[in-house]
Amino acid sequence: MRDLRSLLRGRRDGPAAGLHRSHRDAVRLWGTPWARFGLVLLVAGWALVPQFVTDDFWLSVLNYAGIAAVAALGLNLLTGYTGQISLGHAVFLGVGAYAAAQIGEGGDIPIVVWLPAAALIGGLVGAIIGPFALRLRGNYLVIVTLGLVFIAEHVFRNLKDITGGNTGTPVSASPSIGSFDVTDLSFAGQSYSREQGWFWLIWAIVALTALMTKNIVRTRPGRAIQAIRDRDLAAEVVGIEIGRHKIWVFAISSAFAAAAGALYGSYQEYVSPDEWNLFLSIQYIAIIIVGGVGTVFGTILGALFIGALPSVIEEYSDSIPGVAAKAGDSGISVYSLNQAIFGVLIVAFLLLEPRGLAAIWLRVKTYFRTWPFRY
Amino acid sequence: MTDQSPGGAPEPTATGVDDHEPLLALRDVTLRFGGVTALDGVSLEIAPGELHAVIGPNGAGKTSIFNCINGVYRPQVGSITFDGHELIGQRPARIARLGVARTFQNLGLFVALSVVDNLMLGRHHLMRTGFVSGALWWGRARREEIEHREAVERIVELLELEAHRHRPAGLLPYGLQKRLELGRALAMEPKLLLLDEPVAGMNLEETEDMARYLMQVRRELDLAMLLVEHEMHLVMDLADRVTALDFGRRLASGTPAEVQADEQVIQAYLGGAA
Amino acid sequence: MSARRPSDPTGGVAPDALPDDAHLEEEVEARAPSLPARLLELAATTPDAVALRQKHRGVWHETTWRGYAERTARIARGLADLGVGPGDRVAVHAENRIEWVLADLAIQGLGAMTVGVYPTCPPAEVEYLLSHSRATVLVAEDEEQVDKALEVRDGLPALRTIVVVDPRNVDLSDASLVTWQALEERGAAGTVDDLADRVAALDPESPATIVYTSGTTGPPKGALLSHRNLRAAGDAFAQAFPAGPRDEILSYLPLCHVAERVVSLIAALESAYVVNFGEGGEAFAQDLREVQPTFFVGVPRVWEKMHATVDVRMGDSSRLKRLVHRRLTAAGVRTARARMQGRVGPGDRVRSAVGELLLYRALRDRLGLRRVRMAASGAAPIAPQILEAFWAIGVPVREVYGQTENTAVGTAMPDGDVRIGTVGTSYPDSELRIADDGEILTRGPGTFLGYLDDEDATRATVDEDGWLHTGDVGTVDDDGFVRITDRKKDIIITAGGKNVSPSEIENRLKVSPYVREAIVVGDRRKYLVALIGIEQDTVGDWATRTGLAYTTYADLSRKPEVRELVDGVVAAANADLAQVETIKRFALLEKELDHEDGELTATQKVRRAAIEREFAATIESLYAGEGAS
């Protein structure tokens, strides 16, 4: 607050903002008053979105994108920061969704219980599977996690007591704590819609997971996984236990995915095994590639972009030539079109902008930060 | 290292380091890759605080010794004891935690990370923050970050890296990268430092700087060093003792002057050059 | 700055009477009579305000005025314990750091004299300074400086103790060595009151410090400056540059030089602003960007270097950025001229605002000058083009003129009436006039006590009427603005009998980012020639960009392409110069000039005689086969 005031007053004397007077200053995440000011502006601006976008469809698009961001942050820890490519991410969303369905059944259990519990279960499953998967590197890991998707689909279809089998299961876990229910908010005489309530909930969770990711990345475990990514032999020689770290990241990544799955289930109120397929995993790969491998902000951008894309295509399928809007129409289906678009996007970004949207953002930022110099 | 070994007192070292039990002892270490013998019954001892150099022509097995000591390779025969622990069969990370640090001939920096982060990684095994406390930040993670930043700043000061703290390691000039790697090894607070050709590829000025830093490190920090180096001036100026290798065998061992005068060593070098 | 009248508009005759002595005395009485007294005053009036900041291991540690006084008191007591008393000399051999100013004030507080030694001084020079000043205690920064002193200790019978600030790698078994920390502990009983008692006993007219002038000829001479001199300098400087407690500076020029002493200590105590000590060396640019001082003082070399940096880095930028830079700096120069006169019209305001938004602020930020509201250049003449370039981006650099012997109190450019090409006007309490032979003379409270053990030199410098002979030749205009022609002894008289000022021509050459040093030669010769040293950074960068491979400085200097580059610079300079002033031929120096090799003074000024001697053959070759075009 104090520096905001001095910022606005435009003081040009006294100690400069970038002057670290203790190591506490040096380790702050938003080190300068401008950075803090920008953050406040961004958060406040985003929180105001449902005030202006009240249309349920568009809010739902943003809500799905937010859920995707939570899971993608997990995948980016694993793939972007640790360098381990996994196609099994969808499985853990499924685990989370079913966990929420079980724990939150009846809708009386508060979200602060079922959501962390679902994450924890996802994390545990990840920790159990991790040691098998992570003994392998590179392409082998991709193939093993691919196998995981098929095994899990089989399990989801047959574990009828929990998953409801092929027909799926309703999820009655509700986003509420006691009588406080985000789907039925009213404040200062104004009441808000279900979609508006979910927006704030989901995006608060996005902010929280983003902050946690950022914190992991800038502390000991985060440095260690980046060291493993950059040069695993050297990492081992400085005393980093590679196996342990990989398993931990896999578990955390799975926990994030499970939390996203739980939110997804509760938001849709129904899930079926068809949703946790390879295509969903690929969608998450697309998010981090398009957004930016190894960046937190990029992941969120990628989730907004990729997460919103299918809904937008579906909404406007009528007006896109050659697309079948309804079953029975001629042309390719919306589903196939989505797949094709993700494929094209992944290839295009890998070729043209391997560091994703975040790199573009970073370049813009650098352009102004170094202006009028080049570097 | 307080207790004296009763029998077989090790030979006194050139520095006059007390003849305590050696910090590191390789005995008859043999390492084979298929039919190739990289090390052939090599024995070597390093006293606490000693700077021991290993010299020899290319392919003499110098780097193999390092890889055996820090657990990257597993020799088929022999023993390597360090500070009362048998090292053969241990994982590199465990050996690092016992107090063995190392630099690489071809640089082992984490190029995408900053100078400070590279140095902080040296302190990895001295820190405790895990994924959960890291994610929460407030409390232990923050306290530990601050505490170890302070420790890292000592290295920054010692190796004069002040102007480069936040540059990605990969963007530093070569000489500075070598210096940073030394810094990362020192940040581990090791008892033994393995230096694999610290001045390889450096120009004269950078070499002199590195020699100065190494001498400073010796004076300020209490650690033993095992140095593999081609640059003979550096070896002769810095080392307390020298071991010469050729084709995985030990040719000679002694003070720099003794080794330099050794017939076999001269032969190996001249022969190797011809 | 409120209206300040030029002291002597006639520029020739001295006022009929000396300033009223009694009145002056009274005024000085009301003020703290010495720097330590002023420190105690500030410690009493604003004890908790920040006085100093020292960057250590990545963090800027703050010291308040109270802390400043307390530490000074402890050091003073510690030094007293070592036997330092009134009249003794204590040398300080260190880079800029908090211990420097603490030692200085403690020494002065004891009635002893501080002798600053340049960190770059080789052992022989250290020996000369310490033996000439008969220093009994040396405060040495670290291993390097301790080694220098120990190397020459046999020639220093007076030296009893060496205080080591940073004892890493120093063998402390030598009984004459004591660490700074031990000294401070030893003086732990020294309270501020204790210091106050000692300070009260000081005679303001007694010497407080000996500043060795690294003369461009002969051995250094020790100028004795009294407590009163130092306080007068603070007063004068604060009038020209009114700063306050929220202002910040970075201490980075050598503290043994009177300029940085004024900035980091004398004026800092006067105006109570915050002095920052950074990590220095390679990290200087970063220190500057972190501190973002509001007040910045540089020597021409510093300004030239920054100017060159901008030039080179702009060269690497995109076309758009270069275009914006070119347009806006051109506009900036126009506005700057109006601003120098204090006449800023609405058009200027709009231009400045646009420039500020698009360029100036950003450029200042990159240089570390974003918040600079006052700036000064001194110690040597600077090219007008460089000054204008900084004014253009909103750094109002005003020239000051002074020398050790008048405690840097000579002239200063008045705020709001900046006339480029002059060094401004004299200070209110001082006088300035031009002698018959054109030499500039000054008189006032800054005039020093004399040279240590050198009556003859003192008499040759200060005449019976108290006028200080500066050794500079110049003129004063009707408004009292002083224009310096050159050092008296440097004036070149060509074979044709024309007087030429080499430094003006040299500065014209040094405007180019590619030229680091230029020495114009031509006394009693038919034409002028120049020895030119290239700037390795910029020329190296240029070479890299044009795909020219090189190994060393010498190799780079020998390249015909580089010669061609410098040829262009010389031709451009010649175009601005009168016929007799043009450079007919030049040679590129194949080594970088150096203090340790005796080519530069410790303040990086060229030692003309030494260079003409060292490069005599080169110079002769430039005159071989005279008549070349």
mmCIF file of all heavy atoms in Angstrom, chain B residues 239-261:
data_model
loop_
_atom_site.group_PDB
_atom_site.id
_atom_site.type_symbol
_atom_site.label_atom_id
_atom_site.label_comp_id
_atom_site.label_asym_id
_atom_site.label_seq_id
_atom_site.Cartn_x
_atom_site.Cartn_y
_atom_site.Cartn_z
ATOM 1 N N ALA B 239 49.835 -27.725 -6.924
ATOM 2 C CA ALA B 239 49.647 -29.038 -6.306
ATOM 3 C C ALA B 239 50.649 -29.308 -5.183
ATOM 4 O O ALA B 239 51.800 -28.879 -5.232
ATOM 5 C CB ALA B 239 49.752 -30.131 -7.365
ATOM 6 N N ASP B 240 50.169 -30.007 -4.163
ATOM 7 C CA ASP B 240 51.076 -30.518 -3.136
ATOM 8 C C ASP B 240 51.703 -31.820 -3.620
ATOM 9 O O ASP B 240 52.878 -32.065 -3.437
ATOM 10 C CB ASP B 240 50.312 -30.802 -1.842
ATOM 11 C CG ASP B 240 49.643 -29.567 -1.308
ATOM 12 O OD1 ASP B 240 50.274 -28.497 -1.338
ATOM 13 O OD2 ASP B 240 48.476 -29.667 -0.874
ATOM 14 N N ARG B 241 50.857 -32.630 -4.209
ATOM 15 C CA ARG B 241 51.364 -33.895 -4.746
ATOM 16 C C ARG B 241 50.749 -34.153 -6.101
ATOM 17 O O ARG B 241 49.670 -33.652 -6.416
ATOM 18 C CB ARG B 241 51.022 -35.052 -3.803
ATOM 19 C CG ARG B 241 51.931 -35.053 -2.563
ATOM 20 C CD ARG B 241 51.889 -36.377 -1.879
ATOM 21 N NE ARG B 241 50.527 -36.723 -1.488
ATOM 22 C CZ ARG B 241 50.175 -37.941 -1.133
ATOM 23 N NH1 ARG B 241 51.053 -38.928 -1.140
ATOM 24 N NH2 ARG B 241 48.936 -38.189 -0.778
ATOM 25 N N VAL B 242 51.434 -34.967 -6.877
ATOM 26 C CA VAL B 242 50.991 -35.228 -8.237
ATOM 27 C C VAL B 242 51.015 -36.736 -8.474
ATOM 28 O O VAL B 242 51.914 -37.433 -8.001
ATOM 29 C CB VAL B 242 51.933 -34.547 -9.258
ATOM 30 C CG1 VAL B 242 51.508 -34.875 -10.684
ATOM 31 C CG2 VAL B 242 51.949 -33.042 -9.050
ATOM 32 N N THR B 243 50.006 -37.222 -9.166
ATOM 33 C CA THR B 243 50.016 -38.612 -9.611
ATOM 34 C C THR B 243 49.953 -38.597 -11.134
ATOM 35 O O THR B 243 49.119 -37.894 -11.705
ATOM 36 C CB THR B 243 48.800 -39.384 -9.053
ATOM 37 O OG1 THR B 243 48.947 -39.458 -7.633
ATOM 38 C CG2 THR B 243 48.720 -40.787 -9.638
ATOM 39 N N ALA B 244 50.862 -39.329 -11.758
ATOM 40 C CA ALA B 244 50.862 -39.389 -13.215
ATOM 41 C C ALA B 244 50.271 -40.712 -13.660
ATOM 42 O O ALA B 244 50.616 -41.766 -13.127
ATOM 43 C CB ALA B 244 52.275 -39.230 -13.744
ATOM 44 N N LEU B 245 49.362 -40.673 -14.622
ATOM 45 C CA LEU B 245 48.726 -41.875 -15.150
ATOM 46 C C LEU B 245 49.088 -42.047 -16.612
ATOM 47 O O LEU B 245 49.333 -41.073 -17.319
ATOM 48 C CB LEU B 245 47.205 -41.773 -15.069
ATOM 49 C CG LEU B 245 46.503 -41.761 -13.722
ATOM 50 C CD1 LEU B 245 45.002 -41.747 -13.973
ATOM 51 C CD2 LEU B 245 46.888 -42.968 -12.890
ATOM 52 N N ASP B 246 49.094 -43.274 -17.043
ATOM 53 C CA ASP B 246 49.174 -43.543 -18.474
ATOM 54 C C ASP B 246 48.477 -44.869 -18.742
ATOM 55 O O ASP B 246 48.744 -45.852 -18.062
ATOM 56 C CB ASP B 246 50.640 -43.599 -18.929
ATOM 57 C CG ASP B 246 50.735 -43.529 -20.441
ATOM 58 O OD1 ASP B 246 49.746 -43.081 -21.082
ATOM 59 O OD2 ASP B 246 51.786 -43.906 -20.971
ATOM 60 N N PHE B 247 47.593 -44.866 -19.701
ATOM 61 C CA PHE B 247 46.804 -46.063 -20.022
ATOM 62 C C PHE B 247 46.221 -46.713 -18.778
ATOM 63 O O PHE B 247 46.293 -47.910 -18.591
ATOM 64 C CB PHE B 247 47.653 -47.072 -20.802
ATOM 65 C CG PHE B 247 48.053 -46.540 -22.150
ATOM 66 C CD1 PHE B 247 49.374 -46.240 -22.420
ATOM 67 C CD2 PHE B 247 47.088 -46.311 -23.124
ATOM 68 C CE1 PHE B 247 49.729 -45.727 -23.654
ATOM 69 C CE2 PHE B 247 47.451 -45.797 -24.351
ATOM 70 C CZ PHE B 247 48.772 -45.503 -24.631
ATOM 71 N N GLY B 248 45.669 -45.875 -17.895
ATOM 72 C CA GLY B 248 44.976 -46.404 -16.735
ATOM 73 C C GLY B 248 45.876 -46.916 -15.637
ATOM 74 O O GLY B 248 45.413 -47.429 -14.629
ATOM 75 N N ARG B 249 47.189 -46.805 -15.816
ATOM 76 C CA ARG B 249 48.091 -47.267 -14.767
ATOM 77 C C ARG B 249 48.773 -46.071 -14.119
ATOM 78 O O ARG B 249 49.013 -45.050 -14.755
ATOM 79 C CB ARG B 249 49.169 -48.192 -15.350
ATOM 80 C CG ARG B 249 48.691 -49.602 -15.652
ATOM 81 C CD ARG B 249 49.803 -50.405 -16.279
ATOM 82 N NE ARG B 249 50.315 -49.792 -17.495
ATOM 83 C CZ ARG B 249 51.521 -49.237 -17.605
ATOM 84 N NH1 ARG B 249 52.351 -49.230 -16.571
ATOM 85 N NH2 ARG B 249 51.915 -48.695 -18.740
ATOM 86 N N ARG B 250 49.124 -46.243 -12.856
ATOM 87 C CA ARG B 250 49.834 -45.176 -12.193
ATOM 88 C C ARG B 250 51.309 -45.273 -12.549
ATOM 89 O O ARG B 250 51.948 -46.302 -12.327
ATOM 90 C CB ARG B 250 49.664 -45.280 -10.674
ATOM 91 C CG ARG B 250 50.338 -44.118 -9.955
ATOM 92 C CD ARG B 250 49.935 -44.062 -8.512
ATOM 93 N NE ARG B 250 50.738 -44.984 -7.714
ATOM 94 C CZ ARG B 250 50.745 -44.976 -6.387
ATOM 95 N NH1 ARG B 250 49.971 -44.145 -5.724
ATOM 96 N NH2 ARG B 250 51.490 -45.835 -5.727
ATOM 97 N N LEU B 251 51.872 -44.187 -13.089
ATOM 98 C CA LEU B 251 53.280 -44.181 -13.452
ATOM 99 C C LEU B 251 54.127 -43.738 -12.282
ATOM 100 O O LEU B 251 55.172 -44.294 -11.992
ATOM 101 C CB LEU B 251 53.527 -43.222 -14.609
ATOM 102 C CG LEU B 251 53.008 -43.624 -15.982
ATOM 103 C CD1 LEU B 251 53.437 -42.588 -16.998
ATOM 104 C CD2 LEU B 251 53.555 -44.990 -16.363
ATOM 105 N N ALA B 252 53.680 -42.674 -11.628
ATOM 106 C CA ALA B 252 54.477 -42.110 -10.544
ATOM 107 C C ALA B 252 53.573 -41.302 -9.652
ATOM 108 O O ALA B 252 52.496 -40.887 -10.043
ATOM 109 C CB ALA B 252 55.575 -41.224 -11.112
ATOM 110 N N SER B 253 54.068 -41.076 -8.428
ATOM 111 C CA SER B 253 53.313 -40.274 -7.488
ATOM 112 C C SER B 253 54.320 -39.608 -6.568
ATOM 113 O O SER B 253 55.306 -40.221 -6.177
ATOM 114 C CB SER B 253 52.367 -41.178 -6.687
ATOM 115 O OG SER B 253 51.436 -40.403 -6.012
ATOM 116 N N GLY B 254 54.105 -38.352 -6.259
ATOM 117 C CA GLY B 254 55.044 -37.656 -5.381
ATOM 118 C C GLY B 254 54.867 -36.163 -5.483
ATOM 119 O O GLY B 254 53.822 -35.677 -5.953
ATOM 120 N N THR B 255 55.906 -35.442 -5.055
ATOM 121 C CA THR B 255 55.813 -33.988 -5.150
ATOM 122 C C THR B 255 55.915 -33.620 -6.630
ATOM 123 O O THR B 255 56.404 -34.405 -7.442
ATOM 124 C CB THR B 255 56.971 -33.310 -4.399
ATOM 125 O OG1 THR B 255 58.186 -33.670 -5.042
ATOM 126 C CG2 THR B 255 57.010 -33.738 -2.952
ATOM 127 N N PRO B 256 55.456 -32.407 -6.987
ATOM 128 C CA PRO B 256 55.522 -32.016 -8.399
ATOM 129 C C PRO B 256 56.922 -32.175 -8.960
ATOM 130 O O PRO B 256 57.096 -32.673 -10.089
ATOM 131 C CB PRO B 256 55.111 -30.546 -8.367
ATOM 132 C CG PRO B 256 54.236 -30.419 -7.176
ATOM 133 C CD PRO B 256 54.762 -31.399 -6.170
ATOM 134 N N ALA B 257 57.933 -31.796 -8.186
ATOM 135 C CA ALA B 257 59.311 -31.879 -8.688
ATOM 136 C C ALA B 257 59.696 -33.328 -8.960
ATOM 137 O O ALA B 257 60.280 -33.646 -10.002
ATOM 138 C CB ALA B 257 60.262 -31.245 -7.687
ATOM 139 N N GLU B 258 59.345 -34.205 -8.025
ATOM 140 C CA GLU B 258 59.678 -35.623 -8.201
ATOM 141 C C GLU B 258 59.032 -36.198 -9.449
ATOM 142 O O GLU B 258 59.674 -36.884 -10.241
ATOM 143 C CB GLU B 258 59.209 -36.435 -6.987
ATOM 144 C CG GLU B 258 60.047 -36.231 -5.732
ATOM 145 C CD GLU B 258 59.331 -36.768 -4.489
ATOM 146 O OE1 GLU B 258 58.333 -37.516 -4.635
ATOM 147 O OE2 GLU B 258 59.779 -36.419 -3.386
ATOM 148 N N VAL B 259 57.758 -35.896 -9.611
ATOM 149 C CA VAL B 259 57.029 -36.471 -10.738
ATOM 150 C C VAL B 259 57.571 -35.934 -12.052
ATOM 151 O O VAL B 259 57.729 -36.654 -13.028
ATOM 152 C CB VAL B 259 55.521 -36.213 -10.605
ATOM 153 C CG1 VAL B 259 54.781 -36.609 -11.872
ATOM 154 C CG2 VAL B 259 54.974 -36.969 -9.401
ATOM 155 N N GLN B 260 57.906 -34.647 -12.029
ATOM 156 C CA GLN B 260 58.428 -34.034 -13.241
ATOM 157 C C GLN B 260 59.750 -34.667 -13.672
ATOM 158 O O GLN B 260 60.058 -34.738 -14.847
ATOM 159 C CB GLN B 260 58.656 -32.540 -12.981
ATOM 160 C CG GLN B 260 58.171 -31.682 -14.101
ATOM 161 C CD GLN B 260 58.165 -30.222 -13.718
ATOM 162 O OE1 GLN B 260 58.534 -29.840 -12.610
ATOM 163 N NE2 GLN B 260 57.744 -29.399 -14.639
ATOM 164 N N ALA B 261 60.514 -35.123 -12.647
ATOM 165 C CA ALA B 261 61.833 -35.694 -12.948
ATOM 166 C C ALA B 261 61.745 -37.182 -13.266
ATOM 167 O O ALA B 261 62.730 -37.790 -13.651
ATOM 168 C CB ALA B 261 62.767 -35.445 -11.762
#
